[in-house]
Amino acid sequence: MPRPKRYAIISDIHANIEALDAVLADAKAQGVDDYVCLGDVVGYNAAPAECIHRIRELGCKVVKGNHDHYCSDPTVNLDDFQPNAASVIEWTRRNIGEDDTRWLHELPLTATIMGFTVVHSTLDSPEHFRYAFDTLDAADSFNCQRTRVCFHGHTHVPCIFIRAPGGDSNAVVKVGPANGLLRQGSYFINVGSVGQPRDGIPKACYVIYTAEGLTKLSVEFRRVDYDIEAAVRRIEEAGLPARLITRLYTGQ
């Protein structure tokens, strides 16, 4: 039998280098073999260049998030954005280099890796960055899913959507971030957020996915402490909106 392969699946780093480094250290201690990034490397926090460089150094598969798109495409009109969001995007555009901007811009929207799929938002319209909060949203994505497992992010809230084998396309259930074997059925798994959790737990969140062939599959949701104070100081020094600080402290 081939040795099981362990992947650290990370998403929504959002320019929080303190959280990213803590997650990478934890993943290394857990003996992962490879990393996958589901996008939104930048946005909201104050270390975009540092986070881009860290992810690029990993040489891992990365898909594009909506903030990666906004911050790397100057044609995106920010007039309809909430003012705080627009100000952070503009600040990020000024604080990453041309090469990193090009790298973000050229990221793919989806990828398939050794029998599983990854996307930032949903598979039915990845370019529109739709949110999958409920089972109806997940059902639309399942209709375009061609592997048993797909990982996504975007909402910053970890959860698992499950569709029974051979079930109606709308027969989808949603459960919390449970650890263990993935039994029969298809899975659409939100891995939570590294850099700005929104489930009320202010710890960085990611998933370790273990695959032994294409049949024995398991997930482990991990929460990691990091230096929130250091991340807050960066936000303050950059002059970014105070609301971003509150979100880090509260996990909301």
Side-chain angles (χ1 to χ4, degrees):
M1 288 291 293
R3 173 181 173 274
K5 187 159 185 178
R6 289 163 61 78
Y7 299 87
I9 315 289
I10 60 179
S11 189
D12 296 277
I13 299 161
H14 283 300
N16 188 335
I17 191 64
E18 285 78 19
L20 176 57
D21 281 346
V23 162
L24 294 181
D26 185 77
K28 182 178 180 180
Q30 300 304 310
V32 303
D33 301 296
D34 204 354
Y35 300 83
V36 181
C37 178
L38 309 186
D40 274 2
V41 180
V42 299
Y44 294 133
N45 292 293
E50 293 89 338
C51 289
I52 291 171
H53 296 165
R54 197 77 84 243
I55 293 299
R56 295 185 71 176
E57 287 168 357
L58 291 175
C60 65
K61 183 67 71 177
V62 186
V63 293
K64 184 188 293 187
N66 55 308
H67 283 265
D68 304 325
H69 171 59
Y70 305 149
C71 294
S72 65
D73 187 345
T75 68
V76 174
N77 190 325
L78 303 180
D79 290 346
D80 294 331
F81 282 63
Q82 195 272 341
N84 282 346
S87 69
V88 177
I89 293 167
E90 290 171 338
W91 180 90
T92 302
R93 288 175 176 177
R94 296 193 302 269
N95 283 273
I96 56 176
E98 290 184 9
D99 185 55
D100 288 337
T101 299
R102 187 180 308 109
W103 179 79
L104 288 175
H105 186 67
E106 293 176 352
L107 290 173
L109 290 167
T110 66
T112 300
I113 307 159
M114 296 297 290
F116 65 96
T117 308
V118 294
V119 64
H120 182 67
S121 52
T122 61
L123 290 172
D124 54 307
S125 54
E127 72 280 8
H128 294 142
F129 301 110
R130 293 177 54 245
Y131 289 93
F133 284 115
D134 58 35
T135 56
L136 292 178
D137 299 325
D140 289 338
S141 191
F142 271 121
N143 288 335
C144 298
Q145 186 172 320
R146 301 295 178 259
T147 58
R148 275 195 65 204
V149 180
C150 177
F151 293 100
H152 66 115
H154 198 31
T155 69
H156 299 209
V157 178
C159 68
I160 302 175
F161 294 99
I162 307 169
R163 187 169 74 177
D168 182 86
S169 63
N170 294 318
V172 177
V173 297
K174 178 182 179 180
V175 299
N179 298 337
L181 290 173
L182 303 182
R183 303 190 184 279
Q184 291 193 357
S186 301
Y187 292 80
F188 186 51
I189 301 172
N190 192 309
V191 303
S193 172
V194 170
Q196 196 195 75
R198 295 181 187 168
D199 60 346
I201 304 173
K203 295 183 178 183
C205 185
Y206 79 105
V207 160
I208 293 179
Y209 173 59
T210 302
E212 188 172 345
L214 297 177
T215 54
K216 191 174 181 181
L217 314 173
S218 66
V219 293
E220 178 187 1
F221 289 83
R222 295 189 63 80
R223 304 305 295 241
V224 182
D225 288 308
Y226 72 93
D227 190 346
I228 292 180
E229 296 295 339
V232 165
R233 286 194 296 273
R234 288 181 187 269
I235 292 172
E236 292 173 335
E237 291 167 1
L240 297 179
R243 169 64 174 150
L244 301 173
I245 293 173
T246 303
R247 301 199 85 153
L248 294 186
Y249 282 131
T250 63
Q252 293 286 0

